[in-house]
Amino acid sequence: MMNRDRLKKLAAEKRFIPGIYNYCDRWCERCPQTSRCLNFSISEEEFSDPETKDIRNEAFWNKLSGILGETLELLKESAKEWGIDLETLDSTNDTENLKLKKMAAEDHLLCRAAKSYSDLAEDWFGERETLFFETAAAAREGVSLEEAIEVIRWYQYFITAKVMRAVRGKIDEEEERFDEFPSDSDGSAKIALIAMDRSISAWAVIRHYAADGDEGVIDIIAFLDGLKQAVEKAFPNARSFIRPGFDRVDQNE
Ligand code: SF4
C-alpha cells in the first residue's frame, strides 16, 4: 500500500494540474491528460498489478480504504496547517440542511429531466439489445456502433449525476450569496453539457446504422437536445467555464 510519504511526494510533483479531476468525465481510459492527473497516478501505482485490478478482489477494497485513510490523514494535517477545525464543520443541523438541499436538488425539473433521459436510454437499449450487438459486430467504419454505444452508456447516468451536482451547487451558492466566478456549479454543468453533446453525436451514429431509421432515436436526440438547452439557460456561464487541464489545452471542446 502506498504510504503517506510516497503520497505526499507524488502529490508535490509539478506535472500534476491541481483539481484536474474535479470537472473531468472520469473516463480515464479515454482521457488525454492521464499523465497530469494525480488521481490517475495514484490508481496506477496502487493497482498496476493485474490481479488487483479485479474490483471483486477483496484486496482492491482494502487498498481503496487504505488510500482513503491516508488521504483523510493528509487532509487533517493540511486543515491544521490552514487553521481549520474539521470537527466543528459537522453538526446535526448541517446534516439536516444537507438532506433538505439534496431533496430540493432531486426534485428540480432539470434533475428529473436528466433522470428521464437515462431511463429513456435504458428502455431503448433494453428493447433492442440482441439486434444491436449483432449489428455492432458488423459495423467497423468511422465511429463504430460499438464506440457509439460505449459513449452513450458511459454518460447515461453521468449526465444525471452532474446536472444534480450543478443544481445543488447553485442552491448552495444562491443561499450563501457566492457571486464568485467561476463557480463549481458552472463547472459541473459544463461537463454535463459536454456529456450531452457527445451523447447526441453518438445517438446520431446509432441512427445512421439503424436500418429502419429508428424513430425512437430521434425522440431521444430531441429530448436530450431540449435538456441541453434548458441546462444552458439555467447555467449561462457554464460553457465558458475553464476546466483545469482541459479547456486551456483545447478551447474547442
Ligand atoms: S482527469 Fe482524466 S485521468 Fe484524471 S480522473 Fe479525470 S478522466 Fe481520469
Side-chain angles (χ1 to χ4, degrees), residues 93-156:
N93 278 349
D94 285 342
T95 314
E96 280 306 308
N97 206 7
L98 284 174
K99 266 192 215 157
L100 288 174
K101 281 180 187 166
K102 183 167 181 276
M103 279 163 63
E106 276 170 3
D107 199 39
H108 194 282
L109 183 65
L110 285 179
C111 300
R112 282 189 280 132
K115 167 94 179 38
S116 298
Y117 164 68
S118 44
D119 292 344
L120 271 176
E122 192 57 40
D123 291 348
W124 195 89
F125 278 107
E127 283 165 20
R128 294 159 181 84
E129 207 163 11
T130 318
L131 164 82
F132 234 53
F133 284 99
E134 279 166 10
T135 325
R140 299 267 179 230
E141 285 171 38
V143 177
S144 74
L145 193 52
E146 279 165 307
E147 286 168 324
I149 294 169
E150 204 188 350
V151 169
I152 291 167
R153 289 308 216 180
W154 184 265
Y155 293 124
Q156 184 179 343

Side-chain angles (χ1 to χ4, degrees), residues 57-126:
N57 188 332
E58 204 185 336
F60 171 88
W61 298 110
N62 291 339
K63 277 178 180 249
L64 206 60
S65 67
I67 292 174
L68 181 66
E70 292 290 343
T71 309
L72 288 177
E73 283 291 324
L74 262 184
L75 179 68
K76 272 190 201 155
E77 271 180 25
S78 306
K80 230 185 266 166
E81 279 167 25
W82 301 331
I84 299 167
D85 182 0
L86 290 176
E87 309 300 323
T88 60
L89 291 179
D90 190 23
S91 71
T92 315
N93 278 349
D94 285 342
T95 314
E96 280 306 308
N97 206 7
L98 284 174
K99 266 192 215 157
L100 288 174
K101 281 180 187 166
K102 183 167 181 276
M103 279 163 63
E106 276 170 3
D107 199 39
H108 194 282
L109 183 65
L110 285 179
C111 300
R112 282 189 280 132
K115 167 94 179 38
S116 298
Y117 164 68
S118 44
D119 292 344
L120 271 176
E122 192 57 40
D123 291 348
W124 195 89
F125 278 107

Side-chain angles (χ1 to χ4, degrees), residues 11-73:
E13 285 184 24
K14 293 231 174 339
R15 67 188 165 110
F16 296 124
I17 298 173
I20 187 172
Y21 38 78
N22 285 337
Y23 304 105
C24 68
D25 61 8
R26 296 290 165 142
W27 201 346
C28 304
E29 241 177 75
R30 291 202 180 261
C31 179
Q33 295 284 37
T34 53
S35 61
R36 312 211 59 196
C37 175
L38 174 63
N39 221 352
F40 181 82
S41 293
I42 291 174
S43 324
E44 279 294 285
E45 286 211 7
E46 284 295 297
F47 306 123
S48 51
D49 174 356
E51 273 182 32
T52 61
K53 279 189 175 165
D54 186 349
I55 57 166
R56 289 162 296 186
N57 188 332
E58 204 185 336
F60 171 88
W61 298 110
N62 291 339
K63 277 178 180 249
L64 206 60
S65 67
I67 292 174
L68 181 66
E70 292 290 343
T71 309
L72 288 177
E73 283 291 324

Side-chain angles (χ1 to χ4, degrees), residues 27 30 34 45 50 63 69 111 161 180 201 220-221 231 238 247 250:
W27 201 346
R30 291 202 180 261
T34 53
E45 286 211 7
K63 277 178 180 249
C111 300
E180 82 189 61
S201 305
I220 293 176
I221 291 176
V231 171
D247 298 325
D250 179 12

Side-chain angles (χ1 to χ4, degrees), residues 157-192:
Y157 297 101
F158 180 87
I159 292 170
T160 314
K162 288 297 169 182
V163 167
M164 281 198 63
R165 185 181 159 99
V167 168
R168 175 123 179 248
K170 203 175 168 74
I171 295 171
D172 284 346
E173 286 155 17
E174 276 165 6
E175 204 170 86
E176 290 167 29
R177 296 201 165 73
F178 285 167
D179 36 12
E180 82 189 61
F181 180 81
S183 74
D184 180 71
S185 58
D186 284 333
S188 299
K190 177 160 190 175
I191 188 64

